[in-house]
């Protein structure tokens, strides 16, 4: 099938420099992701190769060669420079999965900016929190989303609002219209001289407490992303690759842009709502060969059955991978039946920047297991009490990694203490660099797993209260804070509730303010309140009214108690509970 080598072969004498060889990248060459994903590909004689195949909501189609991506990303880079955006400034990309997103992403990196992609379904509150934290200088968006930006801009240090699609006559105040297709051709652009440690992409991710945290990545991440894309996604020069993730989330940048384009693969994007038929049609029409998707999508396809699969010619598909949530054994078995090959599960996080535990191609698949650590990754599960690596097969502990892989996040923006708290063996006041370089430290992922006698990792669950709905993490704190702003609600605890397709959905347990009844109207009003303030993902699918919420003696709401009740699990140690 390909020349990626067996897992055992790759473990032997592994060195991250292999990534450089695969990219033909030599020390001293410019290390800038924007450049490596466009200019450099053109310089390798692939200027006319298709870089992007795009299909929009109403079926409109466009495709771009690597040379077009090169020239258009130059235009974005120059335009941002002309607007006074400086290297290191955060530039948010806030739009649907339209071509401008993918191309401006490279443009921002080319001029040295830090790309901050945000999910376009975010409403003004979710947007504001992330722009404030990042002290974002400029935002690229579309007319459709301008109203959200207008609502919050007065309170933010955001000085440049650029609209890349829509009607220029609808712009207000100092908003700028920039249509790259009408802009002057920028054939040459001097890229910012970034190096391996220069900040590149800033992704916000939700934690249990506090507001979302900005995981800062660097240009050197490309080596980890490209090598994993080559060895695990098995991306080869002639692949037509479809990563279904939105670049508002890390999969959509690490593998939906960087890994794919650094390897000169043709990247497909379908910017439209999900239906199984539409997805199969897209695979058939574009002859997709490699497909990277998520368990929720796979379970949705599964629900629509194999008969539908048979109506399409999906014979182009040769390799399937999955990420984001536990991939249940049934889904793996079903994919073998439906597509003639299993979806291979991969495990990683926003913080890790690239795949960490994978079903390496060629390795026997144990349905339900995440596979083994990628070559070069030292992974363990740490004892829940002692934090020592567990040697006993099957015993559950915390998934942890030895720092040092290229795509690891370099900090949580302005939250060094939170960064340090993710490392076992690092002092609480350690700088991010000390956390990564100290002897004998582990980065702790926040997930639980066990390792079987063959070295396969089996996911057990998260170690915190973060909710994973359809592969998207949502933080309970962000939703609780918004809920108590609703006039009817006095207190709120947000937990994940089991869901057949999405794995979890958001459930809110609330205490009402005096004088409020919980009828259908109130329920709907609360749901809409969250949807319009945060996002559809954050909207509770169920709201349960309680007389009071379980709390610790110090007044902290015990979500894990509510969650255990919801999942029918043992409630565990309640000695810190306020009262019964
Ligand atoms: C969290 C990270 C990495 C790209 C998308 C998510 C969960 C991720 C798996 C998997 C079980 C998984 C974990 C992890 N997760 N992959 N293969 N099996 N759980 O990035 O938003 O940072 O979420 O997603 O809980 O910590 P993210």
């Amino acid at each position: 099938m390909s020349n990626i080598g067996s897992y055992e072969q790759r473990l032997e004498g592994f060195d991250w420099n292999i990534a450089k060889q695969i990219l033909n990248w030599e020390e001293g060459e410019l290390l800038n992701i924007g450049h490596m994903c466009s200019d450099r590909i053109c310089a390798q004689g692939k200027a006319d190769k298709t870089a992007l195949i795009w299909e929009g909501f109403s079926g409109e189609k466009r495709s771009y060669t690597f040379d077009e991506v090169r020239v258009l990303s130059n235009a974005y880079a120059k335009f941002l420079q002309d607007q006074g955006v400086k290297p290191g400034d955060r530039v948010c990309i806030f739009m649907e999965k339209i071509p401008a997103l993918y191309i401006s992403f490279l443009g921002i990196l080319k001029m040295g900016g830090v790309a901050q992609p945000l999910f376009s379904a975010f409403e003004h509150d979710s947007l504001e929190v992330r722009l404030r934290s990042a002290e974002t200088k400029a935002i690229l968006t579309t007319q459709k989303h301008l109203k959200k930006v207008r609502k919050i801009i007065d309170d933010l240090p955001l000085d440049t609002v650029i609209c890349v699609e829509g009607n220029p006559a609808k712009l207000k105040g100092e908003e700028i219209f920039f249509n790259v297709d009408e802009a002057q051709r920028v054939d040459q652009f001097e890229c910012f001289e970034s190096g391996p440690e220069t900040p590149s992409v800033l992704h916000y991710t939700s934690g249990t407490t506090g507001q979302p945290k900005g995981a800062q990545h660097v240009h050197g991440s490309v080596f980890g992303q490209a090598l994993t894309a080559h060895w695990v996604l098995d991306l080869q020069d002639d692949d037509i690759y479809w990563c279904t993730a939105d670049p508002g989330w890390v999969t959509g940048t690490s593998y939906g842009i960087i890994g794919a384009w650094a390897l000169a693969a043709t990247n497909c994007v379908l910017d439209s709502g999900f239906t199984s038929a539409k997805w199969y049609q897209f695979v058939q029409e574009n002859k997709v060969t490699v497909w990277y998707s998520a368990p929720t999508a796979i379970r949705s396809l599964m629900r629509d059955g194999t008969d539908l699969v048979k109506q399409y010619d999906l014979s182009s598909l040769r390799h399937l991978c999955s990420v984001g949530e536990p991939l249940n054994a049934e889904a793996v078995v079903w994919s073998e039946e439906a597509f003639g090959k299993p979806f291979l599960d991969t495990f990683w996080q926003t913080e890790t920047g690239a795949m960490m535990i994978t079903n390496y191609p060629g390795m026997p698949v144990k349905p339900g297991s995440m596979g083994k650590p990628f070559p070069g990754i030292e992974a363990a599960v740490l004892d829940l009490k002692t934090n020592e690596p567990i040697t006993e097969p099957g015993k559950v502990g915390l998934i942890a990694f030895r720092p040092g892989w290229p795509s690891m996040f370099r900090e949580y923006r302005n939250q060094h203490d939170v960064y340090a708290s993710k490392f076992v063996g690092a002092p609480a006041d350690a700088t991010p660099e000390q956390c990564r370089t100290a002897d004998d430290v582990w980065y702790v992922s926040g997930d639980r797993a066990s390792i079987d006698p063959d070295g396969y990792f089996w996911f057990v669950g998260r170690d915190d209260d973060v909710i994973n709905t359809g592969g998207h993490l949502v933080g309970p704190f962000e939703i609780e804070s918004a809920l108590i702003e609703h006039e009817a609600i006095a207190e709120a605890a947000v937990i994940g509730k089991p869901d057949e397709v999405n794995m979890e959905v958001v459930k809110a347990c609330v205490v009402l303010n005096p004088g409020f009844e919980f009828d259908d109207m109130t329920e709907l009003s609360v749901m809409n309140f969250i949807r319009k303030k945060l996002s559809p993902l954050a909207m509770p699918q169920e709201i349960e009214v309680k007389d009071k919420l379980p709390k610790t003696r110090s007044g902290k709401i015990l979500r894990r108690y509510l969650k255990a009740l919801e999942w029918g699990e043992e409630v565990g140690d309640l000695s810190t509970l306020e009262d019964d």
Side-chain angles (χ1 to χ4, degrees):
M1 153 173 105
S2 63
N3 55 1
I4 53 178
S6 75
Y7 181 65
E8 286 71 24
Q9 271 171 342
R10 292 312 184 197
L11 281 181
E12 220 163 284
F14 178 86
D15 181 336
W16 284 107
N17 284 320
I18 295 170
K20 298 178 183 167
Q21 291 161 19
I22 278 165
L23 293 171
N24 284 319
W25 186 92
E26 284 179 17
E27 223 53 68
E29 252 191 83
L30 176 59
L31 176 45
N32 178 304
I33 293 175
H35 167 79
M36 290 172 76
C37 290
S38 60
D39 311 346
R40 207 169 170 277
I41 306 295
C42 295
Q44 291 168 353
K46 295 173 189 159
D48 295 330
K49 189 176 171 184
T50 304
L52 180 64
I53 294 175
W54 176 83
E55 183 177 327
F57 192 74
S58 41
E60 66 275 38
K61 295 178 183 130
R62 288 196 67 172
S63 81
Y64 295 80
T65 63
F66 275 99
D67 198 53
E68 286 168 320
V69 169
R70 178 185 74 80
V71 172
L72 295 173
S73 58
N74 282 349
Y76 280 108
K78 176 160 188 311
F79 179 74
L80 289 168
Q81 250 179 6
D82 291 348
Q83 300 310 311
V85 177
K86 299 273 180 302
D89 285 344
R90 271 76 53 210
V91 181
C92 174
I93 315 176
F94 188 53
M95 57 189 77
E96 267 76 31
K97 292 189 281 181
I98 56 175
L101 190 170
Y102 296 81
I103 299 170
S104 68
F105 179 84
L106 299 190
I108 294 166
L109 298 176
K110 280 184 166 181
M111 55 75 55
V114 175
Q116 182 195 6
L118 289 179
F119 187 41
S120 62
F122 278 156
E123 290 298 334
H124 59 98
D125 253 32
S126 294
L127 181 64
E128 179 174 3
V129 162
R130 291 160 177 83
L131 295 180
R132 184 186 306 288
S133 160
E135 298 165 274
T136 309
K137 163 98 175 170
I139 185 166
L140 294 162
T141 188
T142 59
Q143 190 197 323
K144 182 175 165 197
H145 299 291
L146 274 174
K147 59 179 183 304
K148 303 181 202 168
V149 180
R150 285 176 191 150
K151 225 174 196 159
I152 57 178
I153 189 161
D154 287 347
D155 299 328
L156 291 171
L158 177 70
D159 15 81
T160 311
V161 178
I162 302 159
C163 176
V164 300
E165 191 183 89
N167 180 355
K170 297 274 167 131
L171 265 53
K172 289 189 181 162
E174 292 174 9
E175 292 162 2
I176 311 163
F177 194 76
F178 180 68
N179 180 339
V180 78
D181 296 322
E182 289 164 10
Q184 211 174 1
R185 187 180 160 89
V186 182
D187 201 54
Q188 298 299 328
F189 180 83
E190 186 107 5
C191 286
F192 180 70
E193 294 271 342
S194 43
E197 292 300 314
T198 309
S200 57
V201 184
L202 179 64
H203 272 295
Y204 274 80
T205 181
S206 297
T208 311
T209 54
Q211 294 292 357
K213 301 163 289 191
Q216 182 64 63
H217 292 283
V218 292
H219 282 268
S221 69
V222 65
F223 294 121
Q225 291 149 347
L227 189 62
T228 46
H230 188 51
W231 281 0
V232 181
L233 298 176
D234 190 21
L235 284 187
Q236 312 283 329
D237 203 52
D238 53 356
D239 273 313
I240 311 282
Y241 164 65
W242 184 23
C243 169
T244 58
D246 186 302
W249 315 96
V250 72
T251 312
T253 56
S254 289
Y255 296 100
I257 308 180
I258 305 171
W261 277 349
L263 293 170
T266 297
N267 205 10
C268 297
V269 175
L270 175 61
D271 181 25
S272 101
F274 174 87
T275 70
S276 300
K278 191 170 259 175
W279 275 35
Y280 295 145
Q281 172 69 32
F282 189 71
V283 170
Q284 172 177 281
E285 189 172 320
N286 297 299
K287 301 197 167 43
V288 172
T289 57
V290 179
W291 195 9
Y292 196 23
S293 197
T296 289
I298 301 163
R299 286 191 290 268
S300 304
L301 297 173
M302 195 169 148
R303 218 173 33 172
D304 287 336
T306 33
D307 281 352
L308 186 66
V309 180
K310 290 189 192 123
Q311 292 173 27
Y312 296 86
D313 175 4
L314 306 179
S315 57
S316 57
L317 287 173
R318 67 168 187 87
H319 192 54
L320 319 176
C321 294
S322 161
V323 66
E325 328 146 53
L327 180 64
N328 43 318
E330 296 79 3
V332 177
V333 172
W334 178 78
S335 96
E336 277 186 311
E337 184 190 321
F339 308 115
K341 41 196 74 72
F343 267 94
L344 301 185
D345 193 12
T346 64
F347 170 91
W348 55 291
Q349 307 178 296
T350 304
E351 285 86 345
T352 70
M355 298 171 189
M356 302 301 279
I357 299 175
T358 72
N359 279 276
Y360 197 91
M363 180 195 269
V365 176
K366 296 194 186 190
S369 162
M370 310 192 290
K372 296 188 190 186
F374 184 76
I377 300 294
E378 190 187 343
V381 295
L382 305 185
D383 186 276
L384 297 170
K385 291 207 174 80
T386 65
N387 278 330
E388 290 297 322
I390 294 173
T391 47
E392 195 185 317
K395 189 169 172 202
V396 175
L398 295 170
I399 305 176
F401 303 105
R402 218 35 119 187
W405 66 97
S407 59
M408 178 177 194
F409 73 135
R410 297 306 199 263
E411 60 174 32
Y412 283 131
R413 192 181 157 75
N414 294 335
Q415 288 186 285
H416 290 183
D417 51 335
V418 184
Y419 192 84
S421 72
K422 300 282 281 188
F423 294 81
V424 162
D429 60 351
T431 63
E433 163 133 31
Q434 286 164 344
C435 293
R436 289 193 305 275
T437 52
D439 286 342
D440 225 22
V441 283
W442 290 101
Y443 162 74
V444 181
S445 72
D447 290 293
R448 293 183 182 199
S450 65
I451 309 177
D452 74 12
D454 299 325
Y456 281 69
F457 282 62
W458 295 79
F459 185 81
V460 172
R462 286 192 62 96
D463 188 49
D464 59 19
D465 297 332
V466 173
I467 300 157
N468 188 333
T469 180
H472 299 304
L473 300 190
V474 296
F477 178 80
E478 201 179 1
I479 307 175
E480 289 161 358
S481 310
L483 278 168
I484 54 176
E485 285 182 37
H486 189 280
E487 55 173 5
I489 294 176
E491 285 184 293
V494 165
I495 56 170
K497 164 186 146 122
D499 183 86
E500 234 174 63
V501 171
N502 291 290
M503 192 173 88
E504 289 184 304
V505 290
V506 173
K507 170 172 177 179
C509 301
V510 301
V511 176
L512 295 182
N513 273 321
F516 281 90
E517 284 281 320
F518 197 71
D519 50 21
D520 288 353
M521 283 286 283
T522 319
E523 181 175 37
L524 202 63
S525 142
V526 172
M527 286 176 171
N528 277 329
F529 184 72
I530 298 301
R531 187 171 58 80
K532 290 192 177 147
K533 211 169 158 55
L534 300 177
S535 72
L537 286 178
M539 186 180 85
Q541 305 289 317
E542 184 189 333
I543 301 172
E544 184 181 330
V545 175
K546 297 205 171 262
D547 292 339
K548 61 180 180 178
L549 296 176
K551 289 190 191 135
T552 61
R553 289 198 189 94
S554 59
K556 235 176 97 191
I557 294 174
L558 267 175
R559 296 189 197 103
R560 72 178 163 84
Y561 176 77
L562 293 167
K563 188 167 176 195
L565 284 181
E566 185 67 40
W567 292 65
E569 288 166 359
E570 261 183 62
V571 172
D573 178 16
L574 292 181
S575 57
T576 53
L577 206 61
E578 187 183 48
D579 50 38
D580 294 327

